[in-house]
Amino acid sequence: MPRQSDARTLSSLRHALQALRCFSQDEPELGITEISRKLGLSKSTVHRIMATLAEEGFVHRDEETHRYRLGLSVLSLGGIIMSNLEICREGQHLLEEFVHRFDETVHLAVLEDFCTVYVSKLECKHPVQIATHVGRRNPLYCTSSGKVILAYQDESMVEEVIRRGLQPFTPNTITHPDRLRKVLAQIREAGYATSVGELRPGVNSVAAPVRDYTRRVIGAVTAVGPAARFTDEKMRSLAKTLLSISKEISNRLGYYERVSSRTRLQVSHSMGRPT
Amino acid sequence: MPRQSDARTLSSLRHALQALRCFSQDEPELGITEISRKLGLSKSTVHRIMATLAEEGFVHRDEETHRYRLGLSVLSLGGIIMSNLEICREGQHLLEEFVHRFDETVHLAVLEDFCTVYVSKLECKHPVQIATHVGRRNPLYCTSSGKVILAYQDESMVEEVIRRGLQPFTPNTITHPDRLRKVLAQIREAGYATSVGELRPGVNSVAAPVRDYTRRVIGAVTAVGPAARFTDEKMRSLAKTLLSISKEISNRLGYYERVSSRTRLQVSHSMGRPT
DNA sequence: TATCACGTTCCGCATAGAGAAACAAGTGCG
DNA sequence: CGCACTTGTTTCTCTATGCGGAACGTGATA
């Protein structure tokens, strides 16, 4: 019996999309057999899938090795998203200013499917570079952007994240539910989040929340860098600017602060002033 | 009888990929009916396709309007390509230097399937901005990058481009085969190409060729800007720098000039120094 | 040369998926 | 207010489609 094809969706298409997902930063080039093993499908099936993907330009077949890599068609699609994601459009120039001023790498991340997805990245000139890329997904509980987003979601989402498991990536990763809940409370207090080597050792980050017109936190602005440069003090300093940037982006997305109304947000915005 | 395409590819998958392609800069959001009309498929078929794409995160279904837009999964794929395209990796910082120095928008474009595809874009700070995006495809005969790439391809490719038709986009677009052939010869002479409002009125560009280790021209570095700023003189000046950048990128891709017996030794970062 | 692993092709059967039509849920108009 | 349009979604039936096992070709390795 094959994999349970739950709904009324197309199994062949689903397999093809999963095949596309097999490609990654570390494995940008794959052969038929590799993919068929990853997906548990027969070689002939995968071959047919790849032939179709290649014909449509979604993968590129190397004529010599007969192995496959992602094609440029997906770049087009990516570009379309980028230039239509409102948060991207509005944020780009603010991020550029940030990089110019601090010379630190900065990302824009959004929430999707219990992950943060980087939708924009601006690199600094420093020789030390943290290997991330646009489109990269990370868990919510071990990055500054993830935590700051999570901090402002419904409690049920926090519980779901916990239920899915707090897998440790480094010794610093938060793995205890109660600790996570506590940290999130602190983040709401401060208005921003930090990560000190929680996803990768020696890599720190700071993040501030971005809201849309519904007042929901939908993303974050985050600066990333090596622990050597990202001291506590420096991160506090960066946080100030990140908060003003995130606020500006939020405004452009239609968000406006309602200071004195009886809404569910008494977390005040002491933006420049860390408590 | 349904349209009979190549026997050994999956029609449902092909349709799905074509559905993805329906999305564009101008139409970032589509409904089932629109797509089904574009592709000539029944609504139920398209609905099944979109449901699967949505399930895998390749499109996002708006819960209110029940319309679809591209999902963030394709961003991930795009990011993987970007960080693995050698030409991108090698060129990024050189382009950044260029933008810093001239404050003009610059692209990296590669050849694919009789089109140029922008694989990298760095924007300048100027208020006037030319709306392009990474992944964007343009014809070969009406952009500076396209023409400079075409100039160094086999003659058969030129003829194929001509055969496919030289559609005019502006009054300046080259539409006569003989004129195109002559222009390409001039480009080989000069070593770089320009476009003066050939794709869009009032938008000029300059481009220099990038070669890989097989000495084939596989891409181009190109600066784009409004005609007001991009005078002949300025473009000549930009061309010098673009040529040195494109040469440097070519070197990093394994290309070495064999004109002089001088090996690729002094590949200093001294951009701007002509030759 | 023999063996292995790989990509590719062939083929027959079961089923996945195409489409017509019915259904539901808005939306605009008189 | 209700009617004539949309739109997206579901159901159903039948057959073309695409699945997997096996065979084939080819290039490496020993």
Side-chain angles (χ1 to χ4, degrees):
Chain A
M1 193 185 318
R3 205 65 56 93
Q4 52 173 11
S5 36
D6 283 300
R8 35 205 162 290
T9 59
L10 306 184
S11 64
S12 62
L13 173 53
R14 198 170 46 238
H15 292 151
L17 299 178
Q18 284 162 4
L20 284 175
R21 282 247 188 65
C22 289
F23 295 89
S24 70
Q25 196 87 297
D26 307 317
E27 296 183 293
E29 203 176 291
L30 294 170
I32 296 284
T33 310
E34 273 173 284
I35 300 173
S36 73
R37 266 201 286 264
K38 277 175 195 273
L39 299 183
L41 296 171
S42 70
K43 283 197 295 175
S44 43
T45 301
V46 173
H47 183 262
R48 231 171 300 131
I49 287 174
M50 298 312 284
T52 313
L53 288 172
E55 197 175 68
E56 294 289 330
F58 281 71
V59 300
H60 177 78
R61 199 184 83 135
D62 188 304
E63 284 304 332
E64 304 214 347
T65 67
H66 285 199
R67 306 182 87 229
Y68 297 80
R69 69 178 68 173
L70 291 171
L72 294 180
S73 276
V74 311
L75 251 200
S76 313
L77 300 181
I80 292 169
I81 292 184
M82 289 287 292
S83 50
N84 282 299
L85 264 187
E86 227 178 339
I87 188 175
C88 254
R89 276 206 313 267
E90 301 299 340
Q92 195 68 18
H93 286 289
L94 292 169
L95 297 193
E96 279 169 13
E97 274 182 57
F98 180 92
V99 173
H100 266 79
R101 183 159 153 208
F102 293 98
D103 200 19
E104 294 293 352
T105 295
V106 65
H107 288 112
L108 209 50
V110 301
L111 170 68
E112 189 185 78
D113 193 29
F114 292 95
C115 291
T116 56
V117 183
Y118 294 135
V119 295
S120 194
K121 176 194 184 184
L122 283 178
E123 279 189 359
C124 66
K125 295 287 177 306
H126 281 289
V128 178
Q129 290 203 1
I130 318 298
T132 62
H133 63 97
V134 166
R136 163 92 192 196
R137 281 164 192 275
N138 282 323
L140 289 175
Y141 59 88
C142 59
T143 63
S144 58
S145 45
K147 287 189 295 181
V148 83
I149 293 173
L150 190 55
Y152 294 100
Q153 303 303 311
D154 281 350
E155 210 171 308
S156 60
M157 172 163 279
V158 179
E159 295 309 314
E160 175 64 16
V161 167
I162 290 168
R163 200 194 60 75
R164 294 183 177 213
L166 305 177
Q167 187 198 345
F169 292 91
T170 74
N172 286 6
T173 307
I174 300 172
T175 53
H176 284 65
D178 275 337
R179 170 127 183 77
L180 179 62
R181 294 192 190 95
K182 199 172 152 196
V183 166
L184 293 179
Q186 288 167 355
I187 290 170
R188 279 189 290 270
E189 197 90 5
Y192 69 91
T194 61
S195 160
V196 179
E198 292 170 35
L199 177 62
R200 277 184 259 179
V203 176
N204 295 3
S205 66
V206 205
V210 174
R211 298 166 190 274
D212 69 2
Y213 68 101
T214 67
R215 304 182 59 80
R216 269 196 41 222
V217 171
I218 56 157
V221 191
T222 166
V224 195
R229 276 207 309 274
F230 274 50
T231 59
D232 276 10
E233 191 185 0
K234 169 140 187 187
M235 290 202 284
R236 263 196 300 277
S237 151
L238 290 176
K240 286 187 197 172
T241 310
L242 289 175
L243 277 166
S244 83
I245 291 179
S246 72
K247 217 161 262 178
E248 174 64 23
I249 297 178
S250 301
N251 284 335
R252 296 197 190 176
L253 294 179
Y255 167 78
Y256 61 100
E257 296 181 65
R258 284 185 284 185
V259 254
S260 59
S261 70
R262 200 172 62 84
T263 41
R264 58 190 236 271
L265 200 68
Q266 74 284 26
V267 176
S268 91
H269 23 277
S270 51
M271 125 158 190
R273 313 241 157 161
T275 46
Chain B
M1 180 148 55
R3 51 157 36 106
Q4 178 89 349
S5 285
D6 278 329
R8 46 180 95 60
T9 59
L10 307 183
S11 64
S12 62
L13 173 52
R14 200 170 44 237
H15 291 151
L17 299 177
Q18 284 163 4
L20 284 174
R21 282 248 189 63
C22 288
F23 295 90
S24 70
Q25 196 86 298
D26 308 317
E27 295 183 294
E29 201 177 292
L30 294 170
I32 295 282
T33 310
E34 280 172 85
I35 300 173
S36 74
R37 266 203 285 264
K38 276 176 197 273
L39 299 183
L41 297 170
S42 70
K43 280 198 299 176
S44 37
T45 300
V46 173
H47 183 263
R48 231 173 301 132
I49 287 174
M50 298 312 286
T52 313
L53 288 172
E55 198 175 66
E56 294 289 329
F58 280 70
V59 300
H60 177 80
R61 199 185 83 137
D62 189 305
E63 285 304 332
E64 304 214 346
T65 66
H66 286 201
R67 307 183 84 229
Y68 297 79
R69 67 177 65 181
L70 291 172
L72 294 180
S73 276
V74 311
L75 252 201
S76 314
L77 299 182
I80 292 169
I81 293 186
M82 289 286 292
S83 50
N84 282 299
L85 264 187
E86 226 180 336
I87 189 175
C88 255
R89 276 206 314 266
E90 302 299 340
Q92 195 68 19
H93 286 289
L94 292 169
L95 298 193
E96 279 169 13
E97 276 183 52
F98 181 93
V99 173
H100 266 80
R101 181 158 155 210
F102 293 98
D103 200 19
E104 293 294 352
T105 294
V106 64
H107 287 110
L108 209 49
V110 299
L111 171 66
E112 188 184 80
D113 193 31
F114 292 95
C115 290
T116 56
V117 183
Y118 295 134
V119 295
S120 194
K121 176 192 183 183
L122 284 177
E123 279 189 0
C124 65
K125 295 286 175 309
H126 281 291
V128 177
Q129 288 202 2
I130 319 297
T132 60
H133 64 96
V134 167
R136 163 90 194 200
R137 282 165 192 273
N138 282 323
L140 290 176
Y141 58 88
C142 61
T143 63
S144 58
S145 47
K147 286 189 295 181
V148 83
I149 293 173
L150 190 55
Y152 294 100
Q153 303 302 312
D154 280 350
E155 209 170 308
S156 61
M157 172 164 278
V158 179
E159 294 309 314
E160 176 63 17
V161 167
I162 290 169
R163 200 194 60 75
R164 295 184 176 211
L166 305 177
Q167 188 198 343
F169 292 91
T170 74
N172 285 5
T173 308
I174 300 174
T175 53
H176 284 66
D178 276 336
R179 170 131 183 75
L180 179 60
R181 295 192 190 97
K182 198 172 152 194
V183 166
L184 293 179
Q186 288 168 356
I187 289 170
R188 281 187 291 269
E189 197 90 5
Y192 68 90
T194 60
S195 160
V196 179
E198 292 169 35
L199 177 62
R200 276 183 259 179
V203 177
N204 296 4
S205 65
V206 204
V210 173
R211 298 167 190 274
D212 69 2
Y213 69 100
T214 66
R215 305 184 57 80
R216 270 196 42 222
V217 171
I218 57 158
V221 190
T222 167
V224 196
R229 276 208 308 275
F230 274 50
T231 59
D232 276 9
E233 192 184 0
K234 168 141 188 186
M235 289 203 284
R236 261 196 300 277
S237 151
L238 290 176
K240 285 187 196 173
T241 309
L242 289 174
L243 277 167
S244 85
I245 292 179
S246 71
K247 221 162 260 178
E248 172 64 22
I249 296 178
S250 301
N251 284 334
R252 295 195 189 177
L253 295 179
Y255 167 78
Y256 61 98
E257 291 183 71
R258 47 178 189 190
V259 248
S260 66
S261 53
R262 173 94 56 122
T263 43
R264 43 183 274 229
L265 197 55
Q266 48 157 12
V267 277
S268 67
H269 280 40
S270 66
M271 303 189 326
R273 283 279 312 208
T275 328

